[in-house]
C-alpha cells in the first residue's frame, strides 16, 4: 500500500509501501496483494518481475478469493473456493517508465485486478525465457492503457508445452504504439490452449489481437469470445485481428460474439 509508512513487514497490519520491497521477500506460491493506495504510481513505477513458481500478483481491482489463488478449500465448513477474502474495489496503477510493467517468467502464476499504464515496453509480458515446460499462466480483470504493447504472451524453447495457455479476462486493453494483445510461439514451442474472453483492445496503433506461430511451433485451441478490436491502425493501418503461421507452424482458433 503506497500510503503506508516505511519499514513495513508486508503483513496486513503493516504493509510494504513499494512493490520492490514486496518482491524482495516474496517466494514460491506467495501472494503479492496491492491496495489502491493513493491512486498514483508512487512506489509502483519501476515494474515488477514475477519469477517464482506459483506466485500470484493481485490488486484491489478484483475480489480476492481462494479460486483466484488456485487454493483448494474443500472440507472447510462455511468456506468455499468463492468466499471473498477482500472485496473488489478500484485497481492500483502499475507502470515502468523504462521498461515492462509486469513481467512473468514462472509457471502457475496469476496476474489480476491491476491497471498497467504508460509502460515504455510491455504492459504485461509473459515469457518462458528459461525454456522449461509450463502448465498455466492466468491474466484476469486487468486494464492496460498507453503501453507500447498491452499484453504479450511469448513462448519459446524446444519441447515447451503451455497447457490452458493465457487467460485474458480483462477490459480496455488500449495501447499507443503496437498490439493490444499478442500471443506468440517460436523455436519448436507449443501453447496447447488459450482462452481470451471479455477483452477490449480498441484504439491500438497496430493490431488489436495478434496470434503468431513460427519456427515449427504451434498454438492450439485458442478460444476467443466477447472480444472487441475497433479503431485499429493509427500507426500504419494494420488489422484488428491478425493470425499468422509460417515455417511449418500452425494456429487453430475459434471466434464468437466478437467485434473487429
Amino acid at each position: 500500500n503506497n500510503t503506508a509508512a516505511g519499514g513495513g513487514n508486508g503483513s496486513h497490519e503493516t504493509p510494504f509501501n513499494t512493490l520492490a520491497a514486496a518482491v524482495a521477500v516474496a517466494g514460491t506460491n506467495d501472494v503479492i496483494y496491492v491496495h489502491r493506495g493513493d491512486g498514483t504510481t508512487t512506489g509502483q513505477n519501476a515494474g515488477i518481475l514475477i519469477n517464482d513458481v506459483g506466485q500470484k500478483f493481485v490488486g484491489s481491482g478484483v475480489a480476492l478469493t481462494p479460486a483466484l489463488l488456485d487454493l483448494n478449500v474443500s472440507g472447510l465448513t462455511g468456506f468455499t473456493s468463492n468466499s471473498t477474502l477482500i472485496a473488489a474495489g478500484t485497481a492500483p496503477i502499475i507502470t515502468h517508465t523504462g521498461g515492462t510493467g509486469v513481467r512473468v517468467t514462472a509457471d502457475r502464476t496469476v496476474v489480476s485486478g491491476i491497471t498497467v499504464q504508460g509502460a515504455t515496453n510491455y504492459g504485461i509480458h509473459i515469457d518462458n525465457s528459461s525454456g522449461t515446460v509450463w502448465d498455466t499462466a492466468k491474466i484476469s480483470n486487468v486494464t492496460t492503457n498507453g503501453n507500447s504493447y498491452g499484453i504479450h504472451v511469448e513462448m519459446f524453447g524446444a519441447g515447451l508445452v503451455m497447457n490452458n495457455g493465457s487467460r485474458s479476462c480483462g477490459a480496455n486493453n488500449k495501447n499507443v504504439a503496437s498490439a493490444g494483445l499478442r500471443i506468440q510461439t517460436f523455436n519448436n514451442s507449443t501453447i496447447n490452449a488459450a482462452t481470451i474472453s471479455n477483452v477490449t483492445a480498441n484504439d491500438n496503433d497496430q493490431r488489436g489481437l495478434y496470434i503468431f506461430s513460427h519456427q515449427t511451433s504451434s498454438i492450439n485451441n485458442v478460444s476467443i469470445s466477447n472480444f472487441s478490436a475497433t479503431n485499429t491502425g493509427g500507426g500504419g493501418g494494420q488489422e484488428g485481428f491478425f493470425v499468422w503461421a509460417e515455417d511449418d507452424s500452425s494456429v487453430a482458433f475459434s471466434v464468437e460474439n466478437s467485434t473487429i
Side-chain angles (χ1 to χ4, degrees), residues 46-195:
I48 182 172
L49 173 63
I50 306 298
N51 63 352
D52 289 300
V53 172
Q55 206 167 81
K56 316 298 193 297
F57 182 51
V58 180
S60 55
V62 66
L64 188 66
T65 66
L68 178 64
L69 304 178
D70 291 329
L71 295 178
N72 184 349
V73 296
S74 60
L76 298 179
T77 302
F79 191 71
T80 71
S81 61
N82 292 318
S83 295
T84 298
L85 307 176
I86 302 177
T90 305
I93 301 174
I94 313 299
T95 193
H96 194 337
T97 55
T100 293
V102 179
R103 186 181 178 201
V104 179
T105 61
D107 189 20
R108 299 198 302 276
T109 48
V110 172
V111 177
S112 187
I114 63 169
T115 293
V116 186
Q117 183 172 295
T120 56
N121 200 350
Y122 304 105
I124 300 174
H125 187 196
I126 297 179
D127 76 277
N128 189 358
S129 54
S130 64
T132 57
V133 174
W134 279 21
D135 181 53
T136 59
K138 297 180 181 179
I139 308 171
S140 65
N141 298 95
V142 301
T143 298
T144 65
N145 285 323
N147 308 286
S148 291
Y149 282 82
I151 302 173
H152 189 112
V153 180
E154 188 173 30
M155 298 289 109
F156 54 96
L160 172 67
V161 177
M162 185 177 179
N163 298 312
N164 301 321
S166 68
R167 175 170 296 177
S168 300
C169 307
N172 299 321
N173 296 315
K174 298 166 67 172
N175 309 283
V176 175
S178 197
L181 172 59
R182 176 167 174 157
I183 299 175
Q184 172 176 298
T185 57
F186 54 97
N187 191 21
N188 302 303
S189 60
T190 300
I191 292 177
N192 271 342
T195 301

Side-chain angles (χ1 to χ4, degrees), residues 225-241:
S225 62
N226 301 310
F227 174 80
S228 175
T230 62
N231 196 32
T232 305
Q238 297 190 13
E239 302 82 1
F241 178 28

Side-chain angles (χ1 to χ4, degrees), residues 194-199 209-211 221-229 240-243 251-260:
T195 301
I196 301 167
S197 62
N198 304 312
V199 172
L209 171 59
Y210 185 8
I211 301 176
N221 304 316
V222 180
S223 175
I224 303 163
S225 62
N226 301 310
F227 174 80
S228 175
F241 178 28
F242 186 84
V243 181
V251 175
F253 65 93
S254 63
V255 183
E256 62 180 5
N257 300 323
S258 296
T259 301
I260 301 169

Side-chain angles (χ1 to χ4, degrees), residues 8-48:
N9 61 10
S11 66
H12 176 73
E13 293 78 12
T14 57
F16 297 120
N17 61 6
T18 67
L19 280 184
V23 171
V25 300
T28 300
N29 296 320
D30 278 346
V31 179
I32 300 173
Y33 183 84
V34 185
H35 292 271
R36 171 67 174 180
D38 63 7
T40 73
T41 61
T42 299
Q44 302 163 180
N45 58 2
I48 182 172

